[in-house]
Amino acid sequence: MMDPTLAEMGNHLSDAMKILESGKLVSEQGTERRKLSWKDIPGPLQGDGQDVVNILQLVQNLMHGDDDQQGHRRMQYVGEQGHMALLGHSLAAYISVLERERLRKLTTRILSDTTLWLCRLFKYENGSAYYHEDDREGLLKVCRLVINTHYEEYAAEGFTVLSSKHPVIYQSAACRPGLGQHLCSQLGLPLSSLCTVPCNTMFGSLHQMDVALLDKLIKDDRESGKVPLLLIANAGTPGAGHTDKLSRLKELCAQYDMWLHVEGVNLATLALGQASSTVTAATKCDSMTLTPGPWLGLPAVPAVTLYRHEDPALSLAAGLTSSQPVEKLRALPLWLSLQYLGHDGIVERIKHASQLSQQLLEHLKTLASIKTSVEDELNSPVVVFRFSQDSAPSSGGSVEGYFAGERDILDALNRWLGEQLAQQVPLSGVDVVELEDEGTCVRFSPLMTAAALGTQENDVAALVEKLGEIIPVLSCTLRFRQDFKDEVLQQTLLSYIDDLSWPGLGVVRYEPRNTDLDEEKRQQRVEKINSELLKKLMELDTDLEFSGGPEFGEETNCIFIGMATEDLDVAELVETIGSVGRDIEESGKLFENMTEVVRRGIQEAELQLQKANEEKLMEEGVLRQIPLVGSVLNWFSPVQASVKGRTFNLAEGCLDSTEPVYSIKAQMNKEASPDSPRSSTKRFPGQKLFRRHGAGSDSVSDTSSISQLEESFRETAHVQATDADEAEVPQELPAHIPEETASSDQRVPEGQETESVDTLR
């Protein structure tokens, strides 16, 4: 019968996973309260304690509390095999309380089984295993083992033994960054003990260690009295997934009595029936580090370092083995998961990931302007590809540019390509990688991502489909960048910003014509105009994207233009930007002067109204101003006083009579045609701006977008000017704006001139 405690533990784990994976938060009201709750603020431990459900609810809130803001959940897929790995951590805590003898037998069995299964699975005969959380920890312990082996007095005398004969650790230039520095810092060795071997520069892969140069470096170190200790080789480099010449390196290490350690994602293919010969050579190395967690989709399982050594005392001194039974429980989650998957299940997952890589590679061969960096097209589990203008294959990974700086521009475009693919096809697991020779590339490594994300063949098909849609956009953008630069340089009011890191058509800035301002005011004016210009451009009906650039970019007060399409009219685009900028600048000057103009106009209006009141008093007499007497006199003898209308001219800042305005307006209404169009050319319904003739769109005028934009901008300026007049000028003073500005007229009613003066004041 099953132990009731074990059964209860499994049920609790199942219930806890259901709560954490359900994503059901308490309620909307509870969510609002939780935003301001003290539970989100670190504080003292509560005295009365909490039950399991409340604690799990708190964990869930911390895990998914920002899902509404992020828009999606960023958790990997955890299947049944993942639940077994999580159960292993709970069981390890439970088993650790057993009596010592029973604990020793159980941990020995778990460690022996797991080591045997892994050695047979990855064809590593007569090996021992060390389980560790940090995937660098196994290599560190191996280095201690090698030092103890070469320096017999190291255990007694320590670092003084190393002073006479300095140890040397060799690593490839394609190793993961910081690995060698981490080893030196943990071992107490100077950085001079680390030797980085360059990759091939003339023959072979650009990511493989140069064996001939390594041989020369070892000979030089031995002649200078140094001790070559260990060589770190790659079976799948972190960047491109290439494998070093392991057979040749093993011969070299045997010749100079060195230890060969191998790591990399390609070691997973050793579990397959037919692995490549280059990877199979890793089974003859002295040690290798495996990471079955990401390969099999197992969360929180340890990495494993398999090694061969005959002296158990030195292994114990190096920390590769432990006499503490609790230390051996690290293998328990992996022990449970391997049993759950079985041999066939493990092989199937690794084989599935390799088939996904082959599927993508076959499709990439059919796409123009895509270059791949694959070592072995038949067996490589990692696919690295890059967009390039030259569709012909190139061994060097770079092409001659059509203009200076094309390498940087291609890097920016490929970085954007990788981000778009990762965002639009998230289950593909692609990411962006920086390679020294090729530049920025997109990497597809399903061995590291497919098991966790659940990647399938249809996800690879969706990735290829999306890639086929993006490639024409990248090609057009790269082709139009130089045309855009040439057009901008012809505009006197536009400055071209040469930002090679921007993945788009280009960057432009509008420069005001007024140069008599100091630098601070000029910068403020540039910022204001370009900010308004960006808003106007973003309101246009076009497929282009306009933005202010990256949040922490070096260039400011600029217009960043996004990706281009085949039918883009670059000349019309640049002319429109300049035209809108000029209208904004002129409108800004008008509004800047409007305050002073209105102030002077109000003062003049006060004087004229005061003078008009005095004339009215002289004309009507004093008696008519008395309230009761004036009403009686006006009833017996009405006064036929004519109302004198006035207009306020914003351009000249003065008051004029309304008689010329009414006469001109009457004449214009008679002569004007009611259905005369604003522009001789119009766009068809649904027609986008900046489209060329015969390029997938209706034939329209090249300048129609500019004329429409100017007309719409003038109408906007007309409304703004009218609103400003009504806000500053009293109702008794109608505004008149000739030509560019709008005009409005309003008569001054009889008997209100006196009140108007007070109102204006």
Side-chain angles (χ1 to χ4, degrees):
M1 296 179 62
M2 181 180 293
D3 187 345
T5 305
L6 294 178
E8 184 179 2
M9 184 183 304
N11 294 333
H12 285 173
L13 177 65
S14 178
D15 295 340
M17 293 303 300
K18 290 179 180 179
I19 294 176
L20 295 178
E21 293 180 346
S22 63
K24 296 180 180 179
L25 300 180
V26 286
S27 63
E28 294 183 359
Q29 296 180 352
T31 303
E32 294 297 329
R33 289 197 303 268
R34 188 172 52 80
K35 291 181 179 179
L36 302 177
S37 175
W38 60 268
K39 295 181 180 180
D40 293 337
I41 304 175
L45 184 64
Q46 299 302 305
D48 54 352
Q50 302 183 54
D51 56 16
V52 177
V53 176
N54 290 334
I55 296 175
L56 290 177
Q57 185 66 53
L58 175 61
V59 174
Q60 182 204 32
N61 294 339
L62 295 176
M63 292 169 56
H64 307 303
D66 58 347
D67 282 351
D68 296 336
Q69 299 177 3
Q70 298 292 335
H72 59 88
R73 186 174 301 177
R74 296 175 293 178
M75 284 194 64
Q76 71 176 36
Y77 171 75
V78 180
E80 290 293 334
Q81 72 275 8
H83 288 183
M84 293 299 297
L86 299 178
L87 178 61
H89 291 276
S90 301
L91 284 176
Y94 174 68
I95 293 174
S96 63
V97 301
L98 296 176
E99 59 183 38
R100 186 173 183 82
E101 184 63 24
R102 184 174 298 181
L103 176 62
R104 184 187 62 81
K105 293 182 179 180
L106 179 58
T107 54
T108 302
R109 171 63 184 276
I110 292 173
L111 193 64
S112 302
D113 287 349
T114 310
T115 302
L116 177 62
W117 297 338
L118 291 175
C119 288
R120 289 185 176 180
L121 186 64
F122 295 100
K123 302 176 178 63
Y124 195 80
E125 298 179 357
N126 301 323
S128 302
Y130 172 65
Y131 302 89
H132 45 94
E133 302 298 333
D134 188 346
D135 56 1
R136 302 171 298 181
E137 187 69 19
L139 177 57
L140 178 62
K141 301 295 185 181
V142 166
C143 290
R144 295 186 188 276
L145 174 63
V146 178
I147 291 177
N148 280 278
T149 303
H150 281 75
Y151 298 89
E152 296 180 357
E153 303 297 329
Y154 178 76
E157 300 184 11
F159 70 93
T160 56
V161 181
L162 308 179
S163 59
S164 58
K165 294 183 178 181
H166 294 283
V168 182
I169 299 175
Y170 301 88
Q171 70 169 1
S172 170
C175 280
R176 46 179 166 168
L179 178 60
Q181 290 79 358
H182 174 75
L183 294 177
C184 289
S185 64
Q186 296 298 315
L187 295 172
L189 299 177
L191 291 179
S192 58
S193 297
L194 179 65
C195 179
T196 301
V197 183
C199 295
N200 292 330
T201 55
M202 297 296 294
F203 305 100
S205 170
L206 297 175
H207 305 277
Q208 287 181 336
M209 190 185 304
D210 193 332
V211 181
L213 182 57
L214 173 63
D215 190 6
K216 182 178 181 302
L217 291 174
I218 295 175
K219 289 180 180 179
D220 294 342
D221 290 336
R222 288 171 61 90
E223 292 176 359
S224 62
K226 297 181 179 180
V227 179
L229 283 183
L230 180 139
L231 172 63
I232 306 172
N234 291 298
T237 56
H242 289 206
T243 302
D244 291 323
K245 299 179 178 66
L246 299 180
S247 298
R248 182 71 181 93
L249 293 177
K250 179 57 182 176
E251 296 174 359
L252 202 63
C253 289
Q255 177 182 348
Y256 294 107
D257 191 22
M258 293 174 57
W259 186 284
L260 177 61
H261 178 83
V262 181
E263 61 179 21
V265 66
N266 291 355
L267 292 175
T269 59
L270 290 173
L272 302 179
Q274 296 179 348
S276 63
S277 58
T278 55
V279 179
T280 305
T283 59
K284 304 300 181 182
C285 66
D286 298 297
S287 62
M288 65 169 64
T289 296
L290 309 174
T291 55
W295 299 347
L296 305 176
L298 305 176
V301 298
V304 185
T305 295
L306 302 179
Y307 65 97
R308 296 189 185 98
H309 199 267
E310 298 178 355
D311 192 344
L314 292 180
S315 299
L316 180 62
L320 288 170
T321 59
S322 175
S323 59
Q324 299 296 327
V326 178
E327 294 291 331
K328 300 178 182 179
L329 287 176
R330 291 179 182 175
L332 181 56
L334 191 57
W335 183 73
L336 294 175
S337 301
L338 293 179
Q339 291 186 86
Y340 180 84
L341 292 173
H343 183 275
D344 295 340
I346 296 172
V347 173
E348 181 61 30
R349 277 164 173 76
I350 297 176
K351 183 179 179 181
H352 173 69
S354 300
Q355 291 175 346
L356 293 178
S357 297
Q358 295 303 313
Q359 178 187 355
L360 177 61
L361 185 59
E362 291 297 327
H363 287 290
L364 291 180
K365 293 179 181 179
T366 63
L367 296 177
S369 302
I370 290 294
K371 291 186 176 182
T372 59
S373 177
V374 180
E375 176 189 25
D376 185 357
E377 294 187 354
L378 298 178
N379 299 283
S380 177
V382 180
V383 179
V384 176
F385 59 93
R386 170 181 171 88
F387 166 78
S388 178
Q389 185 65 28
D390 185 8
S391 59
S394 173
S395 59
S398 61
V399 294
E400 293 295 330
Y402 292 92
F403 48 86
E406 183 183 10
R407 167 67 180 268
D408 296 331
I409 295 175
L410 286 175
D411 287 345
L413 294 177
N414 280 280
R415 192 176 300 109
W416 178 85
L417 171 63
E419 293 172 354
Q420 291 296 312
L421 292 177
Q423 179 181 359
Q424 300 184 29
V425 193
L427 294 182
S428 64
V430 297
D431 61 348
V432 179
V433 60
E434 302 286 344
L435 302 181
E436 182 178 357
D437 295 287
E438 287 85 349
T440 304
C441 300
V442 182
R443 178 177 57 189
F444 178 67
S445 182
L447 271 174
M448 300 298 294
T449 61
L453 297 176
T455 308
Q456 300 297 329
E457 288 79 1
N458 57 342
D459 298 317
V460 177
L463 179 67
V464 175
E465 181 181 359
K466 184 58 62 176
L467 188 60
E469 297 174 1
I470 296 179
I471 287 177
V473 177
L474 295 173
S475 300
C476 294
T477 302
L478 184 60
R479 187 171 69 251
F480 285 141
R481 279 185 71 107
Q482 187 63 31
D483 297 339
F484 178 77
K485 179 179 180 180
D486 296 338
E487 291 290 339
V488 171
L489 294 178
Q490 296 178 7
Q491 298 285 333
T492 57
L493 298 179
L494 297 179
S495 296
Y496 181 80
I497 308 301
D498 195 11
D499 189 353
L500 301 180
S501 63
W502 171 247
L505 189 61
V507 186
V508 66
R509 178 189 293 125
Y510 184 85
E511 302 288 350
R513 288 169 289 186
N514 191 359
T515 59
D516 56 351
L517 300 176
D518 56 32
E519 184 62 24
E520 182 178 358
K521 292 184 178 179
R522 182 182 178 278
Q523 289 296 331
Q524 294 177 356
R525 189 176 184 85
V526 170
E527 180 180 0
K528 182 178 180 181
I529 292 178
N530 283 276
S531 177
E532 292 294 330
L533 176 58
L534 177 60
K535 292 179 181 179
K536 291 291 182 181
L537 294 175
M538 293 175 66
E539 295 173 357
L540 297 179
D541 184 17
T542 176
D543 294 330
L544 285 176
E545 293 185 2
F546 301 93
S547 67
E551 183 178 0
F552 301 102
E554 297 180 358
E555 300 294 340
T556 57
N557 304 327
C558 301
I559 309 298
F560 289 76
I561 304 173
M563 293 294 171
T565 54
E566 179 67 29
D567 55 358
L568 176 65
D569 193 330
V570 179
E572 181 183 2
L573 169 64
V574 175
E575 187 176 353
T576 301
I577 295 175
S579 175
V580 176
R582 286 192 300 269
D583 291 340
I584 294 176
E585 183 181 8
E586 294 174 359
S587 176
K589 292 180 179 179
L590 173 63
F591 291 130
E592 288 177 0
N593 298 328
M594 185 176 296
T595 302
E596 181 64 22
V597 171
V598 171
R599 187 184 63 83
R600 292 198 305 265
I602 291 176
Q603 293 177 353
E604 183 180 354
E606 290 179 347
L607 295 177
Q608 292 193 16
L609 289 176
Q610 184 178 1
K611 183 178 180 180
N613 287 335
E614 293 176 355
E615 292 178 354
K616 178 182 178 182
L617 181 62
M618 296 298 296
E619 179 181 355
E620 297 179 355
V622 179
L623 293 178
R624 291 184 182 272
Q625 308 305 318
I626 301 174
L628 295 177
V629 178
S631 300
V632 175
L633 291 177
N634 289 333
W635 186 75
F636 283 104
S637 177
V639 177
Q640 301 295 331
S642 60
V643 178
K644 297 180 180 180
R646 298 176 180 85
T647 63
F648 182 37
N649 193 322
L650 285 176
E652 299 180 2
C654 61
L655 293 176
D656 297 331
S657 175
T658 58
E659 294 181 1
V661 176
Y662 280 109
S663 61
I664 294 175
K665 183 176 293 187
Q667 184 178 359
M668 291 176 59
N669 290 335
K670 293 180 180 180
E671 296 178 356
S673 175
D675 56 349
S676 58
R678 280 182 173 267
S679 175
S680 58
T681 58
K682 292 185 177 180
R683 292 190 178 273
F684 294 98
Q687 178 66 37
K688 301 286 186 179
L689 298 180
F690 316 130
R691 292 287 184 87
R692 294 200 316 271
H693 289 288
S697 61
D698 297 330
S699 178
V700 293
S701 173
D702 290 342
T703 59
S704 59
S705 62
I706 303 175
S707 61
Q708 290 181 5
L709 197 60
E710 290 177 347
E711 293 293 344
S712 62
F713 184 85
R714 287 171 181 167
E715 292 176 1
T716 305
H718 167 84
V719 175
Q720 293 177 350
T722 305
D723 294 341
D725 298 344
E726 293 178 355
E728 297 290 343
V729 183
Q731 295 182 355
E732 290 80 7
L733 301 176
H736 170 61
I737 306 175
E739 298 180 355
E740 286 90 11
T741 57
S743 62
S744 61
D745 307 304
Q746 186 174 1
R747 291 186 176 275
V748 180
E750 181 181 1
Q752 295 185 6
E753 292 83 356
T754 305
E755 299 177 0
S756 301
V757 177
D758 298 334
T759 304
L760 286 172
R761 291 175 183 171

